[in-house]
Amino acid sequence: MKHCLTLKDYTKEDIIEIVEKAIEIKANPKKYADVLKNKTLIMLFQKTSTRTRLSFEAGMTELGGHAIFLDSRTSQFSLTDFKDEIQAVMRFGDVLMFRAKEFADVDTAASLNMIPVIDACSEKYHPCQSLGDLLTMVEHSGGLENIKKVTWLGIENNVSNTLKLVCAKLGIDIYIAAPKVHEISVDEDLDKMADETGKVHKTIDIEEAMKDTDYAHTDTWMDMEFFSAEGGPVSGGEAGKVKPEYQAEYEKRIKEFKPFQLNAEIVDKYSPKAGIMHCMPCHVGYEISRDAIDHKNSVIFDQAENRMHIQKAIILWLLEK
Ligand code: CP
């Protein structure tokens, strides 16, 4: 049985097939309106979400199927053995999408091979995001062959892991300018697989990373728990006041990561045609500036919408397999 987990087991052809399927479905919504009639997607969340929940749920509706939202905090998961509970859950659906705190739980569900399982963002991977981002880049570049260089700025994490792997498998050079790796996201096997392609370039030189890039991506390195609830987000999306107990860590992160911010200045200076991307939610003024989100090159909202088109393709592809 095929699952959508780390993408380490996916070939270049698999990835292209899923993106082409998404393009086909997006262009012909009526043709696909009933393809998942009487099919159920179970959406299990151990963490919060806006885009992932909406894109999977809306996607299932548009394919004629149904999605059930299950929050681990308001169901019985906290009271029992995970493996028992997930076995019962999977009796009720045709596909499981799972936003988990730990990939090990996603892997446990998948290893039961009852129904296809999708990692909907764990601490190590975000395959749906990477495939959706590829769809966005292909659309905006007019074809995969026109994407030569992709840049990642900020911190290496679950999102950069799968983006890096997708780029490497497709022969796209990916430049990573990140002073730090989020330790819980490290997968040495994935790193090795991506590095062996010769397509992964690590640097802390912004010019080298950004020069003539086709797309610049980033993701959060600030923790929103550092801010007082009454303070933010305020007008423009900026966070509110820093809680005194987090002041030192807040300042440390600003010093470490702010030089790697995705902003209009570095785009206009080094790659004026580069598409600006962020998986969202954006933390304005930290990993990305307001002028980058609102920049004429920003494809951030297309990127968000494309989550739905790619989820449809992933679900149909898994069910066909
Ligand atoms: N990018 C992303 O996965 O968004 P959500 O956390 O809102 O689902």
Side-chain angles (χ1 to χ4, degrees):
M1 180 174 288
K2 202 79 179 160
H3 304 285
C4 184
L5 306 175
T6 67
L7 301 184
K8 288 189 281 190
D9 55 329
Y10 279 37
T11 63
K12 174 180 175 178
E13 289 70 32
D14 290 337
I15 293 167
I16 292 172
E17 204 180 313
I18 293 169
V19 169
E20 283 178 350
K21 191 179 263 299
I23 292 169
E24 150 74 11
I25 298 167
K26 190 173 175 179
N28 302 287
K30 282 192 185 149
K31 190 173 145 192
Y32 291 87
D34 284 324
V35 289
L36 289 188
K37 193 162 181 268
N38 297 327
K39 297 280 185 201
T40 297
L41 170 73
I42 298 165
M43 308 193 302
L44 175 59
F45 285 84
Q46 290 178 341
K47 296 172 76 180
T48 56
S49 164
T50 301
R51 278 143 293 273
T52 302
R53 178 178 177 181
L54 284 170
S55 57
F56 271 108
E57 196 161 337
M60 279 304 284
T61 303
E62 291 191 11
L63 294 174
H66 180 64
I68 298 174
F69 174 75
L70 197 57
D71 186 333
S72 68
R73 290 157 297 193
T74 54
S75 54
Q76 307 292 34
F77 274 95
S78 59
L79 304 180
T80 184
D81 180 76
F82 174 79
K83 196 171 172 184
D84 291 339
E85 198 71 352
I86 199 71
Q87 273 197 72
V89 162
M90 288 194 286
R91 294 280 182 113
F92 295 94
D94 301 280
V95 180
L96 170 72
M97 69 115 282
F98 185 8
R99 169 159 290 191
K101 286 183 182 159
E102 292 181 8
F103 174 72
D105 283 344
V106 186
D107 205 31
T108 297
S111 66
L112 293 165
N113 277 321
M114 292 170 65
I115 56 175
V117 174
I118 300 169
D119 181 334
C121 189
S122 61
E123 87 285 18
K124 290 192 189 301
Y125 317 105
H126 202 348
C128 307
Q129 186 69 53
S130 311
L131 294 170
D133 291 354
L134 181 64
L135 168 62
T136 304
M137 294 190 285
V138 167
E139 280 183 345
H140 281 273
S141 293
L144 182 60
E145 65 281 6
N146 299 325
I147 311 167
K148 306 288 184 208
K149 176 174 176 180
V150 167
T151 301
W152 179 270
L153 298 172
I155 192 166
E156 286 192 71
N157 63 10
N158 48 359
V159 180
S160 68
N161 276 350
T162 30
L163 180 68
K164 173 173 77 174
L165 189 63
V166 163
C167 287
K169 284 190 183 231
L170 295 180
I172 299 166
D173 286 292
I174 178 156
Y175 282 71
I176 299 174
K180 220 172 194 172
V181 177
H182 194 201
E183 276 161 21
I184 59 166
S185 74
V186 173
D187 175 348
E188 286 174 3
D189 186 37
L190 181 149
D191 289 344
K192 188 165 175 281
M193 191 180 266
D195 287 345
E196 279 173 357
T197 65
K199 290 291 169 186
V200 180
H201 312 272
K202 302 265 182 91
T203 179
I204 49 163
D205 181 340
I206 295 292
E207 179 171 357
E208 187 190 1
M210 286 295 292
K211 188 82 182 153
D212 299 328
T213 197
D214 294 307
Y215 293 94
H217 295 246
T218 189
D219 191 12
T220 185
W221 38 255
M222 188 50 81
D223 192 332
M224 287 301 113
E225 285 184 10
F226 292 179
F227 302 91
S228 58
E230 94 241 8
V234 294
S235 170
E238 289 174 31
K241 274 190 156 179
V242 181
K243 293 177 193 163
E245 63 270 34
Y246 292 121
Q247 190 64 37
E249 179 60 22
Y250 170 83
E251 281 168 19
K252 188 166 160 257
R253 290 204 195 173
I254 293 283
K255 202 168 161 208
E256 200 165 27
F257 293 106
K258 196 79 181 278
F260 298 87
Q261 185 191 64
L262 178 52
N263 56 51
E265 189 188 336
I266 61 166
V267 172
D268 294 340
K269 188 170 174 189
Y270 299 124
S271 48
K273 291 188 181 155
I276 294 171
M277 302 187 69
H278 192 305
C279 57
M280 300 184 87
C282 300
H283 301 111
V284 187
Y286 298 102
E287 78 275 5
I288 193 162
S289 62
R290 171 52 57 198
D291 62 11
I293 297 170
D294 297 339
H295 197 278
K296 63 179 169 46
N297 296 11
S298 170
V299 296
I300 289 171
F301 299 102
D302 290 345
Q303 186 182 359
E305 180 196 320
N306 273 338
R307 290 292 306 280
M308 180 179 76
H309 304 296
I310 206 74
Q311 323 293 31
K312 289 180 182 177
I314 294 168
I315 292 167
L316 290 179
W317 189 83
L318 289 172
L319 289 172
E320 280 163 18
K321 298 279 164 190

